[in-house]
Amino acid sequence: MISTRIIAISLAAVAFTSVPAIAQGHGHGSSHTSHGGMKGVSASVPAKGEIVKGRVEKLVLEFEHPMVPKSVQLMTEGMERIEIDAQLPVKPVERVEIPLSETLEPGGYQVSWRAGADDHEMTGSFTFAVR
């Protein structure tokens, strides 16, 4: 019984971390590559693929150019949405910080974002883990 659970958890972890990378195929979690090769998010906290030891107090997204963040979602590896209680800026910014009110349990997480600038919209996602 335990070995079946371990296998199921392992398969879920592999699927959770592989699908976003395969679907994106490029960059730091961006699904938009035109406009001079812009990737959208140039850096994040936690970083893409990072294994965090300790508490994650906030999410930080740094854009390659000023953008208006439209949405940011945080999901567990079990695809459970974690509520983010933050007001996103309504004007273009190069950096957005989103405080987390909930303590993240050990496991894998996916951050999905959507932002706009001028006449285009960019989306992307990345994963990280907490130990």
Side-chain angles (χ1 to χ4, degrees):
M1 174 89 95
I2 291 180
S3 63
T4 304
R5 184 170 183 221
I6 290 171
I7 291 170
I9 290 171
S10 298
L11 289 174
V14 168
F16 181 74
T17 57
S18 299
V19 171
I22 291 168
Q24 293 159 28
H26 58 274
H28 188 82
S30 174
S31 65
H32 183 84
T33 57
S34 60
H35 301 291
M38 291 180 196
K39 297 181 186 102
V41 170
S42 60
S44 64
V45 176
K48 176 182 176 184
E50 181 177 0
I51 297 174
V52 180
K53 296 175 185 172
R55 184 179 162 111
V56 177
E57 296 186 12
K58 63 185 172 184
L59 300 176
V60 178
L61 301 176
E62 292 184 8
F63 300 110
E64 290 188 342
H65 59 92
M67 300 187 72
V68 179
K70 307 277 184 170
S71 72
V72 177
Q73 293 183 350
L74 178 60
M75 306 279 282
T76 67
E77 62 191 351
M79 301 313 285
E80 294 176 31
R81 187 175 178 178
I82 296 175
E83 290 299 318
I84 296 176
D85 187 26
Q87 291 281 17
L88 295 175
V90 295
K91 294 184 178 184
V93 295
E94 290 184 6
R95 177 184 171 102
V96 62
E97 292 189 21
I98 302 160
L100 299 177
S101 57
E102 205 173 306
T103 299
L104 301 182
E105 298 294 324
Y109 294 88
Q110 179 175 344
V111 176
S112 299
W113 59 270
R114 183 171 55 93
D118 300 324
D119 63 345
H120 66 280
E121 187 169 279
M122 301 174 94
T123 62
S125 64
F126 61 93
T127 59
F128 68 92
V130 175
R131 279 202 182 166

